[in-house]
Amino acid sequence: MDNDIQNILLTEEDIQSRIAELGQILTEDYAGKDPVVIGVMKGVVVFYADMIRQIKTPCEMEFMWISSYEGTDSTGNLIVRRDINADIAGRHVLILEDIYDTGNSLTFVRNHLLQKKPASLKICTLLDKPSRRKPGITLKADYVGFEVPNEFVVGYGLDYNEHYRNLPYIGILKPEVYAD
Ligand code: 5GP
Ligand code: MG
């Protein structure tokens, strides 16, 4: 698995120290608000597990699952495969995401959750690839772990063909891996 990685972009230590920093900020921002922290499956799972343990104030955990209606590319044809269980009307909601790329997914998830009338809704993404944003998407993540260059990254929850999610770091795949 490690042999397929061209270079490591973010080490385990880089990721964990940034999560600790974000945790302090989120703990302060959400103190006394009992937020519902919503993870978008399944790329977020590894980040979610580490991030939630650094939010040191009471909160609830929820997950939702979205997918493309047709095909696998980020076409914007998204549907909710599995919705959250909690009633979030009047609640403070924090969305956790693995990566903010074109913006299709987060825009879709945000609009879906806004219909449920939360008291507030903010976004925390581990990675942000601003160079890939679709024209017209002006939404900004409220909390960002790292800005990354326009490269396809894997590891720490992020996959290529459902693999590499279990790498503890984030890296760039060797081009020959795609060619296989
Ligand atoms: P969007 O383009 O809608 O902002 O991002 C959609 C999804 O595409 C992300 O949640 C993530 O699952 C996937 N994605 C975007 N960029 C990358 C990347 O560099 N690597 C991997 N593994 N997935 C990505
Ligand atoms: Mg995702």
Side-chain angles (χ1 to χ4, degrees):
M1 215 167 37
D2 299 87
N3 291 336
D4 294 344
I5 302 299
Q6 179 173 278
N7 63 294
I8 294 177
L9 212 57
L10 299 165
T11 65
E12 279 187 78
E13 292 73 24
D14 293 336
I15 298 168
Q16 295 308 326
S17 72
R18 183 65 184 132
I19 287 176
E21 286 173 5
L22 283 174
Q24 285 191 359
I25 298 168
L26 291 171
T27 300
E28 271 184 34
D29 288 1
Y30 284 97
K33 292 188 171 167
D34 193 15
V36 184
V37 183
I38 301 180
V40 185
M41 301 283 265
K42 53 189 155 176
V44 81
V45 165
V46 181
F47 171 52
Y48 193 107
D50 286 339
M51 190 68 256
I52 200 84
R53 283 177 287 177
Q54 297 299 326
I55 302 176
K56 298 184 180 181
T57 186
C59 61
E60 281 183 42
M61 293 171 56
E62 279 288 331
F63 296 94
M64 62 181 289
W65 204 307
I66 59 168
S67 62
S68 300
Y69 188 64
E70 282 173 344
T72 52
D73 57 336
S74 238
T75 52
N77 272 335
L78 294 164
I79 55 166
V80 176
R81 284 252 173 240
R82 183 206 178 274
D83 207 348
I84 55 168
N85 288 324
D87 177 7
I88 58 167
R91 302 285 305 272
H92 295 282
V93 169
L94 178 67
I95 302 173
L96 293 193
E97 248 287 33
D98 51 0
I99 185 163
Y100 187 16
D101 190 45
T102 64
N104 283 334
S105 305
L106 271 175
T107 303
F108 176 78
V109 167
R110 183 171 178 274
N111 290 339
H112 173 75
L113 294 175
L114 281 176
Q115 288 170 18
K116 299 175 188 283
K117 307 261 182 276
S120 70
L121 194 158
K122 288 190 171 184
I123 294 166
C124 172
T125 185
L126 176 64
L127 305 178
D128 188 8
K129 247 193 228 175
S131 55
R132 287 261 304 163
R133 208 79 81 236
K134 246 176 50 178
I137 294 189
T138 51
L139 178 67
K140 279 204 161 47
D142 301 280
Y143 307 93
V144 175
F146 303 92
E147 265 194 27
V148 289
N150 188 7
E151 302 265 14
F152 189 79
V153 296
V154 295
Y156 199 71
L158 291 145
D159 74 307
Y160 171 64
N161 276 349
E162 291 302 328
H163 287 84
Y164 307 102
R165 292 192 196 275
N166 54 333
L167 287 175
Y169 54 81
I170 291 171
I172 298 171
L173 277 181
K174 288 179 182 164
E176 57 260 39
V177 178
Y178 299 100
D180 286 350

